[in-house]
Amino acid sequence: MGMGEHGRFGDGAWTRAWAGLAVVALLVGCVSTEDLAKREREADGYYKQGLSHLASNQQQAFVSFQKSIQVNPDNYDAHYALGSIHFQRKEFADAEREFRRCISLRPDDGESLNFYGRTLIELQRLPEAVDVLRKTTALPLYATPDKAYSSLGHALSLMGDNAGAIRAYQEALKIDPPTVPRALLHLELGRLYIVQGEPIKARESLAQAKSLDPQGTAGAEATKLMQRLK
């Protein structure tokens, strides 16, 4: 057998070897894709299970959401649900972790950013909260920016920036339809105007709060503050 024949035999062997490797790679890819789809379905099942328990058994819902992210760490909805539960329980460090993960998965999601900002407020990380909430108010596709403006106003007032807080609450009042009760926004404006030494504006805002929520908590608090102004 000559060298040419050896060469031809070698070329054929290499061709078959590469073809075999390609088939193996294709099969591995198919298995990986199928496995990923299976895990996503399983994680979604745990998430839906958690939702079904949320109103009646929060702890059971919490466990289901945890199982969901154990199966699929990229399940945004489960992370958001866990963050919300931690926030309600005042477990703010845990809530911060979950909302930070949400933002890593969906950087421009207004709801996650707003909740993240609120969590930072509770953790007394006010400058960070302000930065996050300013970004949130600027999102062009965020459907409920009055939430972020309200949170921003709260953060700025805690930092002593009353003028900035007033501007934030005023911006929140411009959003129509509102998701934050306008009575609450007027109440906060009334409080800030009192601190700023502007009693006329304070009375106007408090009167609005009382008018919008005559039988509610905001209206009652506005009435008390108005009586103190007399």
Side-chain angles (χ1 to χ4, degrees):
M1 186 179 292
M3 290 295 294
E5 291 175 326
H6 277 295
R8 286 193 296 274
F9 177 79
D11 290 343
W14 278 111
T15 300
R16 288 191 295 274
W18 280 113
L21 288 172
V23 170
V24 170
L26 181 61
L27 290 173
V28 170
C30 290
V31 171
S32 298
T33 302
E34 290 176 2
D35 182 61
L36 177 61
K38 180 181 178 181
R39 285 191 288 112
E40 287 179 346
R41 288 194 298 271
E42 185 179 357
D44 189 53
Y46 281 126
Y47 170 70
K48 290 177 179 177
Q49 183 183 79
L51 287 182
S52 70
H53 291 299
L54 195 55
S56 59
N57 190 334
Q58 188 186 80
Q59 182 57 32
Q60 183 59 52
F62 184 81
V63 171
S64 295
F65 295 141
Q66 284 185 316
K67 288 180 179 179
S68 179
I69 62 172
Q70 286 173 357
V71 175
N72 178 15
D74 292 339
N75 189 308
Y76 166 88
D77 293 321
H79 282 292
Y80 185 88
L82 285 171
S84 300
I85 292 175
H86 282 305
F87 190 92
Q88 291 173 17
R89 294 177 175 179
K90 301 186 184 302
E91 298 164 349
F92 298 118
D94 293 322
E96 189 269 349
R97 182 190 65 246
E98 295 298 339
F99 290 126
R100 183 159 30 87
R101 180 63 175 140
C102 287
I103 294 167
S104 73
L105 294 169
R106 297 183 187 177
D108 293 328
D109 183 79
E111 290 300 321
S112 295
L113 283 164
N114 180 54
F115 240 135
Y116 185 52
R118 290 176 60 193
T119 304
L120 292 173
I121 291 172
E122 297 295 340
L123 291 171
Q124 298 298 307
R125 291 160 56 181
L126 297 177
E128 291 177 71
V130 168
D131 288 343
V132 168
L133 293 166
R134 287 194 193 282
K135 175 184 177 181
T136 311
T137 62
L139 291 174
L141 299 180
Y142 185 29
T144 56
D146 54 335
K147 292 181 182 179
Y149 277 119
S150 178
S151 300
L152 177 60
H154 181 45
L156 289 170
S157 67
L158 290 174
M159 292 180 68
D161 184 359
N162 294 327
I166 287 171
R167 288 193 295 272
Y169 285 124
Q170 288 173 335
E171 289 298 319
L173 284 169
K174 295 177 183 178
I175 306 303
D176 190 29
T179 52
V180 178
R182 287 181 171 169
L184 292 177
L185 297 174
H186 282 294
L187 176 62
E188 293 306 320
L189 281 170
R191 286 174 170 156
L192 287 165
Y193 284 131
I194 291 173
V195 174
Q196 290 287 85
E198 300 182 71
I200 295 176
K201 290 183 178 180
R203 286 191 185 92
E204 290 175 352
S205 293
L206 294 172
Q208 285 281 356
K210 183 179 178 181
S211 173
L212 290 168
D213 188 28
Q215 305 300 322
T217 303
E221 184 62 24
T223 299
K224 291 179 183 178
L225 291 173
M226 290 175 72
Q227 290 172 347
R228 294 175 190 172
L229 284 171
K230 293 180 180 179

